[in-house]
Amino acid sequence: MTTVDYKKNVPVLGSYEVVVAGAGPAGICAAVAAARSGARVALVERYGVLGGNLTAGYVGPILGMVGSGTMRDELMALLGVPENDMIGEVGVAHDMEQAKRVLAEFVSCENLDVFLQTPVVDALMAGASLEGLLVATKEGLRAMEGKIVIDATGDGDVAWFAGAPVEKGRADGLMQPVTLEFTLDGVDESRAVACIGDVDDVELNGERFLDYCARCARQGLLPEQLAAVRLPATHRTAAGEHDTAQPQAALACVRFSSELELRRQIDILVHFFRENLPGYEKCRCIASGATLGVRETRRVMEEYTVTAEELAAGKRFSDVAVHKAEFIVDIHNPEGAGQAEERIQYVMPYDLPYRCFVPLKVENLLTAGRCISGTHRAHASYRVMSICMAMGEAVGMAAALCVREGCTPRTLDVKKLQAALESKGVDLYSK
């Protein structure tokens, strides 16, 4: 790769105590938690709406579980969806448009400034210390100064720009595929099949629905990469709507052409539904994600790396920051449709330690969301939205404490963070 020598004086857009990059499920909770804890906060988001996969990505239902008392409970109530179970069997997808408005109110705090349409393009470093972010605006590049920065970008962009070590994918480098989600209406609920995913054994005409889809793919009625069709219900099933987590592309990386291909495949699926599924004869696509649902990219290497074996055993940690996290080890096949492993591994409710949010080699940085430190298999459990919300809340409160105590995330007294979380009603220790 050729390089150019580029230098420019960049105006400062703002100076804050805490800067949060990324306004997905982890980022919004991190920003609000830090602001509620008294810090002056900036929330920087590359899209024009808050919520990330919760809104722009059209991802639903809100999967996974965590201990009681976290912001996850608050957001489920604000979004008007019922309490979910661990894998979504009793859950429904929320109203994506309503969520955009609800989240705008959720982040409405006196000491929290929100910057939409503002992607992060680099890290401002002084040696190993992160001092802020370089962001892109319509007026050009701007500096966003922060005493503590939280990387909630999903992709670990800030950590990567700052020089923290990262890993990607499994041993061969391949990562879980992306999904483009869309919503159907015109579905006759009295006859329609609903399928939440590979743990679902719902049948169609006496055959497991997922086996039926795989057979259709082998027969050429569906493209091979669309052999695992998912059709979870939305909050408006009475009106005949379903939300589908397809199409899916089994790619190690996402390129422009592949995103166009995913949009073309929506028509293929809708045609298949109309021709082959009872209750879907009059269905049509009424909305789709503005961005891809990305499952896996960078995982930042931090003070501790959690493993799938620890999650399966329900491991507890003395520096617990997220308690009773629970979701299956859900590894979508990087090389084709369906799951990467023959049998889905269930887990016991587990802890996430504070150390897995503190990157190696970079000071003044915390992470939250799917880019935290875990193995490829562990990541497949904690990457879901409920758990990411709880991570964001814990890290946001940690950042505010660091500002108040005048310390770095690496030297923060975790007992003070745990006490602060408990004071908000967050369960950290129940059996």
Side-chain angles (χ1 to χ4, degrees):
M1 179 185 296
T2 60
T3 62
V4 296
D5 185 14
Y6 177 80
K7 295 180 180 179
K8 186 177 184 180
N9 290 323
V10 178
V12 175
L13 183 60
S15 296
Y16 294 86
E17 292 176 318
V18 176
V19 177
V20 181
I28 55 175
C29 291
V32 171
R36 288 179 182 176
S37 298
R40 184 163 181 260
V41 182
L43 176 59
V44 182
E45 166 58 39
R46 62 174 171 161
Y47 295 125
V49 296
L50 301 168
N53 275 335
L54 192 69
T55 52
Y58 256 68
V59 175
I62 298 170
L63 297 177
M65 297 290 286
V66 290
S68 63
T70 71
M71 282 183 176
R72 184 260 190 188
D73 298 342
E74 182 180 348
L75 280 171
M76 293 288 280
L78 288 173
L79 294 170
V81 288
E83 176 60 20
N84 197 1
D85 64 316
M86 186 266 293
I87 55 175
E89 285 183 316
V90 301
V92 294
H94 51 282
D95 184 321
M96 308 295 170
E97 292 305 313
Q98 179 195 34
K100 294 172 185 177
R101 301 188 295 274
V102 166
L103 295 182
E105 291 300 315
F106 178 66
V107 302
S108 182
C109 303
E110 248 183 52
N111 48 333
L112 170 54
D113 293 337
V114 178
F115 297 85
L116 300 178
Q117 305 286 10
T118 308
V120 176
V121 296
D122 208 348
L124 302 177
M125 303 296 296
S129 294
L130 179 60
E131 296 190 336
L133 304 174
L134 190 66
V135 299
T137 75
K138 286 297 184 180
E139 288 75 37
L141 297 177
R142 294 292 185 269
M144 183 75 72
E145 296 177 332
K147 293 181 180 178
I148 305 295
V149 177
I150 297 173
D151 186 342
T153 61
D155 296 326
D157 289 344
V158 175
W160 172 254
F161 295 149
V166 301
E167 290 183 355
K168 287 199 292 186
R170 60 189 189 185
D172 60 5
L174 293 182
M175 292 174 281
Q176 294 187 66
V178 299
T179 286
L180 179 62
E181 301 210 12
F182 61 95
T183 300
L184 302 171
D185 75 351
V187 179
D188 181 351
E189 292 291 332
S190 66
R191 298 186 296 126
V193 63
C195 178
I196 64 170
D198 290 80
V199 295
D200 198 336
D201 291 325
V202 64
E203 293 186 351
L204 176 66
N205 299 325
E207 183 179 10
R208 184 172 181 259
F209 177 68
L210 289 173
D211 294 339
Y212 164 77
C213 295
R215 177 167 61 81
C216 287
R218 291 194 299 272
Q219 294 172 349
L221 299 176
L222 276 174
E224 184 179 352
Q225 67 267 40
L226 301 183
V229 175
R230 293 139 190 260
L231 291 163
T234 73
H235 71 298
R236 296 178 60 188
T237 52
E241 290 188 8
H242 266 71
D243 188 58
T244 174
Q246 292 293 328
Q248 173 173 297
L251 301 170
C253 62
V254 181
R255 293 179 292 185
F256 183 65
S257 59
S258 67
E259 190 161 354
L260 293 178
E261 174 64 17
L262 291 177
R263 296 203 178 275
R264 186 185 70 83
Q265 289 173 356
I266 291 176
D267 289 337
I268 295 174
L269 276 173
V270 171
H271 177 75
F272 173 80
F273 296 156
R274 287 174 177 167
E275 296 294 318
N276 297 280
L277 300 187
Y280 288 83
E281 294 89 351
K282 297 180 180 179
C283 74
R284 64 189 180 115
C285 174
I286 59 170
S288 63
T291 186
L292 297 174
V294 180
R295 293 184 175 87
E296 180 181 17
T297 50
R298 302 184 188 102
R299 304 188 313 278
V300 183
M301 295 296 99
E302 321 212 28
E303 291 289 308
Y304 191 89
T305 300
V306 294
T307 69
E309 291 73 24
E310 290 172 328
L311 309 191
K315 180 154 184 177
R316 299 285 185 256
F317 292 91
S318 60
D319 62 332
V320 54
V322 175
H323 183 52
K324 282 191 171 178
E326 186 180 6
F327 189 66
I328 58 174
V329 178
D330 181 29
I331 308 178
H332 292 240
N333 189 359
E335 299 179 277
Q339 296 293 116
E341 299 181 347
E342 187 174 339
R343 295 182 62 184
I344 292 176
Q345 180 180 319
Y346 285 76
V347 305
M348 298 294 289
Y350 56 83
D351 286 351
L352 290 174
Y354 174 72
R355 286 167 292 165
C356 70
F357 308 134
V358 184
L360 298 172
K361 298 185 178 180
V362 179
E363 301 301 328
N364 305 325
L365 176 63
L366 288 160
T367 64
R370 62 178 171 83
C371 64
I372 70 163
S373 190
T375 63
H376 166 72
R377 296 189 71 249
H379 161 276
S381 173
Y382 61 66
R383 63 179 172 81
V384 293
M385 291 192 287
S386 288
I387 302 173
C388 289
M389 290 173 184
M391 292 185 210
E393 180 178 9
V395 165
M397 293 183 72
L401 270 173
C402 287
V403 172
R404 190 183 313 156
E405 299 285 324
C407 65
T408 67
R410 205 177 313 280
T411 60
L412 176 66
D413 183 348
V414 178
K415 295 296 182 186
K416 292 183 178 180
L417 170 61
Q418 292 167 334
L421 286 165
E422 284 195 291
S423 73
K424 300 293 185 182
V426 176
D427 173 26
L428 290 179
Y429 301 111
S430 68
K431 293 184 179 179

